[in-house]
Amino acid sequence: VDSLSFLVNRLLSLTRYQENGKILEKSTFSLEELIESASKKIIPLAKEKKISLKFKLIPGKISADRAALWEALLVFLDNAVKYTPSGGNILLKTKLVGHNWQVVIKDNGIGIDEQDLPHIFDRFWRVDKARQKQDQDGYGLGLALAKEIIDLHQGKISVESWVGKGTTFTITLPQKS
């Protein structure tokens, strides 16, 4: 029941954001505090797996939809913890580049094969289980949802990944979207 509820909620969120381009409820807030808030949600799972979370956050404000960005960040953080082995490391870093914020989430997890990278933001797409090194729950909706949210904020996402070495997601967001 919990799994089905999670799936339905993700589908509803994705649909809500895609329907006529969800109207964003913008406010100005601390990006650093938002990242720390989203991180608190995944800290128990990270501690359970003995994963070290490191932060290099600079203070600063962003004008955006706080709830939507929180949801997108949670997707990236949850994936980083899910696909990083016990004892691994995750780095969360922010930097201001011109009038854009960059949020970097870097892990030393299982990585993503180069041939799979073009598909990771597709709905319901998951790495073929025969090649997957870990059996992880999920429906292939999280990254599609996160991308939709970042796109609505006129942001960009880049990803670099090396199998067996880890993945780095860089989210670029305008200070005022």
Side-chain angles (χ1 to χ4, degrees):
V1 172
D2 288 341
S3 293
L4 186 56
S5 176
F6 179 80
L7 173 62
V8 169
N9 286 332
R10 277 280 163 92
L11 281 170
L12 288 172
S13 287
L14 188 56
T15 301
R16 186 175 64 242
Y17 287 114
Q18 287 180 330
E19 237 176 41
N20 300 324
K22 179 188 180 290
I23 297 171
L24 299 174
E25 296 175 19
K26 294 180 185 175
S27 62
T28 301
F29 54 89
S30 164
L31 182 59
E32 178 185 23
E33 289 175 10
L34 180 73
I35 292 169
E36 289 171 350
S37 171
S39 298
K40 285 179 185 175
K41 185 87 171 161
I42 58 100
I43 283 174
L45 180 58
K47 281 185 178 179
E48 184 179 306
K49 290 181 72 177
K50 295 177 178 59
I51 293 173
S52 169
L53 291 174
K54 296 179 183 176
F55 298 87
K56 289 185 180 178
L57 308 177
I58 60 171
K61 302 280 185 188
I62 188 167
S63 178
D65 186 315
R66 181 181 177 91
L69 282 185
W70 187 90
E71 190 171 6
L73 286 171
L74 190 59
V75 167
F76 290 108
L77 294 172
D78 183 59
N79 278 356
V81 171
K82 246 191 241 182
Y83 296 107
T84 297
S86 183
N89 299 297
I90 297 171
L91 170 67
L92 289 99
K93 176 170 78 169
T94 58
K95 58 184 173 180
L96 194 55
V97 179
H99 295 290
N100 296 311
W101 278 107
Q102 284 192 340
V103 179
V104 178
I105 302 163
K106 181 178 183 174
D107 66 56
N108 65 343
I110 64 172
I112 304 165
D113 192 285
E114 187 176 345
Q115 69 186 16
D116 295 325
L117 284 173
H119 306 288
I120 63 172
F121 296 108
D122 296 346
R123 279 187 187 191
F124 297 109
W125 190 87
R126 295 202 51 192
V127 173
D128 179 6
K129 287 206 180 249
R131 289 179 287 147
Q132 198 169 345
K133 294 180 181 171
Q134 295 178 345
D135 187 26
Q136 291 293 339
D137 292 335
Y139 299 98
L141 289 173
L143 288 176
L145 174 61
K147 184 176 184 327
E148 186 68 29
I149 292 167
I150 300 305
D151 287 350
L152 284 171
H153 284 87
Q154 287 83 46
K156 295 179 180 157
I157 304 168
S158 63
V159 60
E160 295 178 284
S161 192
W162 304 268
V163 174
K165 294 186 179 177
T167 302
T168 301
F169 282 97
T170 302
I171 304 157
T172 303
L173 294 162
Q175 276 183 298
K176 294 184 178 186
S177 61

